[in-house]
Amino acid sequence: AYRALGVNDERARQLAADNLDILLGTVVRPLQRKTRAAAFRALSNAAATEDGARRVLTKAREAFALPDKGYPKEALVGLIARILARHPALASPAESRVVYRRSA
């Protein structure tokens, strides 16, 4: 089901948004790596609206505090980055882009 909800298709995005409450639990639930990757793609689809994106970002940011050493934090960073690319207004000050240029 996670793979189906993670497909790049408008119907999958709508179904993922309809099941956002269930998908949010996958962030903190112990899952196998491949299952979690599919769940993260489904969460990315579910974050199509700003409200859904805000809910996913809140849960994803909480997951950084998890003590599990086997948790795929790099995949979590990717999920947050995909959501913030679509909804830049939701970025915290620490997540905003900084561009450094050489002084003349």
Side-chain angles (χ1 to χ4, degrees):
Y2 296 135
R3 272 187 271 154
L5 293 176
V7 173
N8 187 13
D9 182 64
E10 186 57 40
R11 294 173 296 176
R13 282 187 282 280
Q14 183 59 45
L15 284 171
D18 292 343
N19 293 294
L20 181 59
D21 292 331
I22 295 169
L23 290 173
L24 284 174
T26 62
V27 175
V28 294
R29 186 174 297 133
L31 297 171
Q32 293 179 355
R33 188 168 286 271
K34 288 183 181 182
T35 305
R36 189 175 307 278
F40 281 179
R41 285 191 300 275
L43 277 168
S44 181
N45 273 350
T49 65
E50 189 167 325
D51 181 50
R54 185 176 289 111
R55 291 178 62 197
V56 173
L57 282 173
T58 301
K59 194 59 109 168
R61 288 172 180 150
E62 290 173 5
F64 274 113
L66 293 174
D68 185 11
K69 293 189 187 300
Y71 193 88
K73 302 271 174 116
E74 65 281 353
L76 190 62
V77 169
L79 172 65
I80 291 171
R82 283 190 300 276
I83 293 171
L84 290 178
R86 271 187 268 150
H87 304 282
L90 298 177
S92 71
E95 295 167 335
S96 63
R97 293 181 224 169
V98 177
V99 179
Y100 296 98
R101 299 175 194 251
R102 264 188 200 181
S103 61

